[in-house]
Amino acid sequence: MKKRNKKIYIVIPAFNEGAVIKKTLQSLQNSNYKNIVVVDDGSVDNTAREVEAVGVEVITHLINRGQGAALRTGMEYILENYSPDIVITFDSDGQHRPQDIQKLIQPLLNNEADIVLGSRFLKNNSNIPFFRRFILKAGVLFTNFIARIKLTDTHNGLRALNSKALQKIKITHRGMEHASDIINEITKNNLRYREVPVKIVYTNYSLAKGQATGNFIKMGLKIILHKLLN
Amino acid sequence: MTIISIFVFIFVLFALSRVILRAKDHSISFRESLFWIVVWLTIVFLTLFPQITDKLSAIMGIGRGIDTAFFLAIILLFYIVFRLYVKIDELDKRLTELTINSSKEIHKLKRHFKKPE
């Protein structure tokens, strides 16, 4: 089916991204993606105002609850109000490129997958700093082991979901661990998945805003504890 | 009575007063206050009659009476920490639900009132 017949929505969680969010949104609008929902996760800067300035819908969390919760808000809101065919999750900090979206949705349009995950490791074209690469690879090994799945990049915020995946996937962690939740839900619900190579643009801004290394260890422990207690 | 037992006794009196105050202003339930009163009274009792712990340790197969008291105290602490963990986790989840649902509702209302423009 053609892309123009499909209702494609983009959900962007954002926390204190006032400096870059406008640019990210404009790049999407210039690529003709108009259905965008930003979830402002309790930012204390001008994120919400910047989003409204470019005419994009913004839902505001009263307090900061983490990226997982923000994604849930956006995904649930789109599902409840717009009956979407495809929902894209996209980062607010300018790490993702709008031109990768087409590659991401193609397997969904061809009905070959329910969820498509962007991978920065399929083609080595992202300038990933050495230490970040090491941590990410450890995260991939860990998540693959827990979810009994084989992926090359498990913590990439660029994904495309069809309405089936959107309805089935339940995000339980409110923080960054939601990436592992999504992977777990793929195996749990027998969703068809596909990875496509995408480029992640690392800037000093995104690296400074990104995950601190200690957080990855904390995230791993949280996931293990959650597994043990549930 | 040793000096340490006097210290323990004074501390327990303080702790008990806190429990009673909390129970009075209803910030803890009757059952919870009863639980804490029993815990603190047991500690006073064991401080006043330490020989009881010796009997208990003989039954449990632990060398000294004081070791039994420590052993039981640690188990109790673990249990309390676990309960706190579960409670905080539950509160955290409820806070997330509240944030997600309220933000969606507020947004829908905002959209509704913006429409006539």
Side-chain angles (χ1 to χ4, degrees), chain A residues 2-220:
Chain A
K2 289 277 182 303
K3 175 185 154 189
R4 63 173 176 272
N5 302 330
K6 294 281 185 183
K7 280 205 252 176
I8 299 168
Y9 281 84
I10 297 175
V11 53
I12 304 179
F15 177 57
N16 293 341
E17 301 281 8
V20 289
I21 187 96
K22 208 167 169 181
K23 214 174 136 199
T24 305
L25 294 173
Q26 281 167 338
S27 71
L28 282 166
Q29 288 171 325
N30 292 338
S31 305
N32 225 13
Y33 294 105
K34 305 285 184 205
N35 299 326
I36 308 170
V37 173
V38 173
V39 182
D40 169 21
D41 190 19
S43 298
V44 288
D45 68 354
N46 58 344
T47 299
R49 278 198 303 277
E50 290 286 290
V51 176
E52 277 169 348
V54 285
V56 169
E57 202 169 352
V58 55
I59 307 176
T60 305
H61 277 180
L62 295 174
I63 52 168
N64 178 247
R65 287 275 83 195
Q67 203 182 67
L71 267 182
R72 249 191 72 189
T73 301
M75 285 156 82
E76 283 179 21
Y77 176 78
I78 291 170
L79 197 61
E80 286 162 13
N81 295 280
Y82 297 126
S83 53
D85 295 307
I86 293 171
V87 170
I88 314 281
T89 66
F90 200 88
D91 278 5
S92 54
D93 57 5
Q95 279 202 344
H96 296 154
R97 304 182 313 160
Q99 58 264 47
D100 282 332
I101 293 179
Q102 188 53 44
K103 278 193 279 178
L104 221 60
I105 58 179
Q106 205 52 51
L108 300 180
L109 296 173
N110 299 342
N111 196 20
E112 294 162 354
D114 298 313
I115 177 166
V116 182
L117 306 147
S119 170
R120 73 203 101 179
F121 296 119
L122 273 181
K123 261 190 199 162
N124 257 337
N125 54 3
S126 305
N127 55 334
I128 315 167
F130 173 76
F131 198 58
R132 175 69 47 121
R133 179 186 294 268
F134 172 75
I135 294 292
L136 281 166
K137 286 279 187 191
V140 169
L141 280 177
F142 178 74
T143 310
N144 279 344
F145 172 72
I146 295 269
R148 294 178 300 277
I149 204 168
K150 215 170 157 33
L151 292 170
T152 60
D153 190 1
T154 47
H155 287 76
N156 194 329
L158 190 54
R159 319 171 185 87
L161 298 83
N162 67 9
S163 57
K164 183 188 171 190
L166 199 61
Q167 279 161 8
K168 293 271 182 194
I169 287 176
K170 299 272 172 284
I171 296 175
T172 38
H173 287 97
R174 66 179 176 86
M176 295 306 291
E177 305 84 2
H178 73 273
S180 306
D181 281 343
I182 293 174
I183 310 291
N184 278 326
E185 291 285 299
I186 293 174
T187 19
K188 197 176 136 197
N189 296 299
N190 275 323
L191 295 171
R192 296 170 302 159
Y193 64 94
R194 179 73 67 89
E195 275 191 305
V196 298
V198 296
K199 187 172 176 173
I200 304 291
V201 187
Y202 283 99
T203 58
N204 285 340
Y205 175 84
S206 73
L207 280 171
K209 284 275 303 194
Q211 289 292 297
T213 314
N215 279 356
F216 281 99
I217 297 160
K218 230 164 82 185
M219 274 160 63

